């Protein structure tokens, strides 16, 4: 993904209604949902829903497929993975402080000048978001 595509995708998700639509479509998986189902679930008028679905489709994060009299939308996980790859491509390039997700069980090396780390209470944070979206 190039920077223009990343800006377009991030811009599409930087709006509360579109983010809610995208999250719903991710939850639905590859089958997605019909436009009417999305509107009903999120209580959106058809014109508003159409506008937001167009923005998400234009960004490449959502795909539309006509089926009979309906249009079904689903989240494009390949596009989201491309966005995540773009955002994390140079993560910690100079410091080497990040631990890839596959190595998350192994703690990151500490330099002698670094104080011991205190584990946060609550959910464990993602050390390096290179994880692929299913």
């Amino acid at each position: 993904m190039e920077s223009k595509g990343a800006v377009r995708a991030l811009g599409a998700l930087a709006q509360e209604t579109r983010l809610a639509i995208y999250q719903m479509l991710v939850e639905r998986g590859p089958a997605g949902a019909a436009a009417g189902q999305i509107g009903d679930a999120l209580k959106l008028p058809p014109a508003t829903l159409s506008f937001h679905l167009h923005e998400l489709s234009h960004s490449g994060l959502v795909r539309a497929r006509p089926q009979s009299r309906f249009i079904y939308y689903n989240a494009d996980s390949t596009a989201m993975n491309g966005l995540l790859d773009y955002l994390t491509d140079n993560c910690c390039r100079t410091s080497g402080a990040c631990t890839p997700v596959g190595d998350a069980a192994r703690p990151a090396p500490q330099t002698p000048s670094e104080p011991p780390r205190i584990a946060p209470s609550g959910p464990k944070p993602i050390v390096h978001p290179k994880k692929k979206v299913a």
Side-chain angles (χ1 to χ4, degrees), residues 6-54:
V7 168
R8 193 168 40 246
L10 291 169
L13 293 174
Q15 200 280 338
E16 192 174 353
T17 302
R18 288 193 290 270
L19 184 58
I21 292 169
Y22 186 79
Q23 288 175 319
M24 178 185 173
L25 293 175
V26 167
E27 290 172 4
R28 295 287 178 111
Q37 293 171 324
I38 298 167
D40 290 345
L42 299 176
K43 297 179 177 36
L44 297 172
T48 302
L49 177 64
S50 177
F51 170 77
H52 290 302
L53 287 171
H54 172 76

Side-chain angles (χ1 to χ4, degrees), residues 10 18 20 27 32 40 51 55 61 64 72 89 111 126 131:
L10 291 169
R18 288 193 290 270
E27 290 172 4
D40 290 345
F51 170 77
E55 291 295 314
L61 293 172
Y72 284 81
D89 191 37
T111 60
I126 297 174
K131 185 177 179 182

Side-chain angles (χ1 to χ4, degrees), residues 65-78:
R65 71 175 191 284
Q67 186 175 334
S68 182
R69 297 180 6 212
F70 302 100
I71 299 177
Y72 284 81
Y73 292 87
N74 67 305
D76 186 343
S77 60
T78 304

